[in-house]
Amino acid sequence: MIDVVQIQKILPHRFPFLLVDRVTDLTPNETLVGYKNVTIGEQIFEGHFPGHPIYPGVMILEGMAQAGGILAFQSMDMTEEEAAQKVVYFMSIDGAKFRSPVRPGDRLEYRMSVVKHKGSIWVLKGEAYVDDTLVSEAELKAMIVDK
């Protein structure tokens, strides 16, 4: 298990843009399962939408991207210091689908898997679930580069 303090050693993101609270399962070069607790206290709900809060699809995709970044970094043989000198740039997001709205109180579970990895390029399949219901999916392509 990787908690939020450890996640902050892997990813440069911080509140309010750190969108992975915990990683519960990780097999390097294969899969990652992690989650974000969606709460009404998040700033995004002030405008999306007042009286009818819906977690934005682009935020779900960003959470997948962050989870994918954790999977890639944890799959590479690097020290914390070396990882701190790298950053993940997303190159494309393909086949994004949003199947069901995500609301405050939901636990958004990211399930990431490596489709292909060659050099600094990673292709990942991302799925997001709430209570075992698929709410979103996409294929993400990223490159890990020096800062």
Side-chain angles (χ1 to χ4, degrees):
M1 182 165 19
I2 302 174
D3 67 20
V4 73
V5 174
Q6 293 167 292
I7 289 169
Q8 291 179 92
K9 291 178 182 175
I10 299 166
L11 296 179
H13 307 78
R14 295 297 179 264
F15 178 84
F17 212 65
L18 179 58
L19 304 178
V20 182
D21 292 333
R22 179 166 288 167
V23 172
T24 56
D25 187 51
L26 190 145
T27 304
N29 294 300
E30 292 181 25
T31 60
L32 175 144
V33 178
Y35 67 85
K36 175 189 180 19
N37 292 309
V38 180
T39 68
I40 192 63
E42 294 179 51
Q43 292 176 306
I44 200 80
F45 293 124
E46 291 176 22
H48 200 271
F49 300 102
H52 186 69
I54 301 292
Y55 194 65
V58 295
M59 299 297 281
I60 297 170
L61 292 176
E62 174 62 26
M64 281 183 203
Q66 290 180 20
I70 295 168
L71 175 56
F73 274 120
Q74 293 298 102
S75 297
M76 298 170 72
D77 191 25
M78 287 189 291
T79 65
E80 270 184 26
E81 293 76 24
E82 289 170 327
Q85 299 306 312
K86 303 281 186 186
V87 67
V88 178
Y89 287 158
F90 273 82
M91 302 162 62
S92 66
I93 298 172
D94 294 320
K97 292 184 174 57
F98 304 101
R99 302 190 176 283
S100 184
V102 176
R103 296 185 171 89
D106 287 342
R107 179 172 139 156
L108 186 57
E109 184 177 83
Y110 303 115
R111 300 179 191 172
M112 306 300 299
S113 57
V114 175
V115 174
K116 189 167 38 172
H117 169 225
K118 186 168 186 172
S120 63
I121 307 290
W122 292 79
V123 179
L124 305 162
K125 176 180 172 51
E127 295 178 325
Y129 290 81
V130 172
D131 298 328
D132 282 325
T133 298
L134 181 65
V135 297
S136 183
E137 62 187 304
E139 185 175 273
L140 304 106
K141 183 186 276 188
M143 182 184 334
I144 296 181
V145 297
D146 293 327
K147 281 186 180 172

